[in-house]
Amino acid sequence: MDIFSNQEQLRLLLQSLLLGVGTGLLYDILRALRRHFVCGRAAAAVLDTVFWAILSAGVFEFGIVFAAGQPRLFVLAGAACGIALYLVLLSEAVLAVLGAALRAAAYAWQACRTLIQHAQNVLQLIGIPEKIRHFAKKIQITSSIFRRKGIK
């Protein structure tokens, strides 16, 4: 069992703070999705499961890679402080940006759907699909020139 120096323990504490900030960011991303799509109980359960699965994998990876598999209480305390710092200092701003981004994406999606619907209506008015079907039927009829040469 390796002994961490004070410098390595301080680095591990700072890394655990970053782990906490990342956890808070993940929480806010999923919270913004839940708010934007007005999720029911089933969708909320799925998002909660995704959050806990990612968090569990992240903490496990952190413990194996950075903490060298050694259980250290200050790592969990650092991650908890990182979450608290994130929620106090950055959470509202990140939620505002994510909400605006989701609203802009929804607006762009609706604009694309409307544009596609208008294009389909115009094509129906012009009669292009009917012209394409008529032309395809003409092509299917074999030409007399090709029949004399044995080509169908």
Side-chain angles (χ1 to χ4, degrees):
M1 195 182 228
D2 293 336
I3 297 176
F4 282 94
S5 68
N6 287 343
Q7 182 181 3
E8 290 170 332
Q9 289 183 22
L10 179 61
R11 187 182 70 224
L12 188 61
L13 178 65
L14 294 175
Q15 289 169 338
S16 68
L17 282 170
L18 289 177
L19 175 68
V21 170
T23 300
L25 180 64
L26 174 66
Y27 179 78
D28 274 350
I29 289 170
L30 295 176
R31 185 165 57 160
L33 289 173
R34 185 182 292 181
R35 284 182 180 178
H36 180 75
F37 291 111
V38 189
C39 296
R41 287 184 177 176
V46 168
L47 289 175
D48 287 345
T49 303
V50 167
F51 172 76
W52 285 109
I54 293 172
L55 179 62
S56 298
V59 169
F60 178 77
E61 177 86 14
F62 186 85
I64 295 296
V65 173
F66 293 108
Q70 298 177 7
R72 299 193 174 266
L73 187 59
F74 72 88
V75 170
L76 293 176
C81 289
I83 292 171
L85 284 172
Y86 173 82
L87 291 176
V88 168
L89 298 177
L90 298 174
S91 182
E92 292 302 319
V94 169
L95 279 175
V97 169
L98 289 173
L102 286 171
R103 284 190 298 278
Y107 179 77
W109 176 254
Q110 186 62 33
C112 288
R113 287 183 59 197
T114 304
L115 183 63
I116 290 170
Q117 185 64 40
H118 285 306
Q120 288 174 344
N121 291 342
V122 168
L123 290 176
Q124 288 294 334
L125 287 174
I126 294 173
I128 288 180
E130 185 59 39
K131 290 178 183 178
I132 291 173
R133 274 190 235 110
H134 180 67
F135 184 68
K137 286 181 184 178
K138 279 186 170 183
I139 291 176
Q140 287 176 347
I141 301 172
T142 56
S143 174
S144 61
I145 298 171
F146 294 124
R147 268 189 259 143
R148 277 186 256 148
K149 296 183 178 181
I151 302 172
K152 289 188 177 186

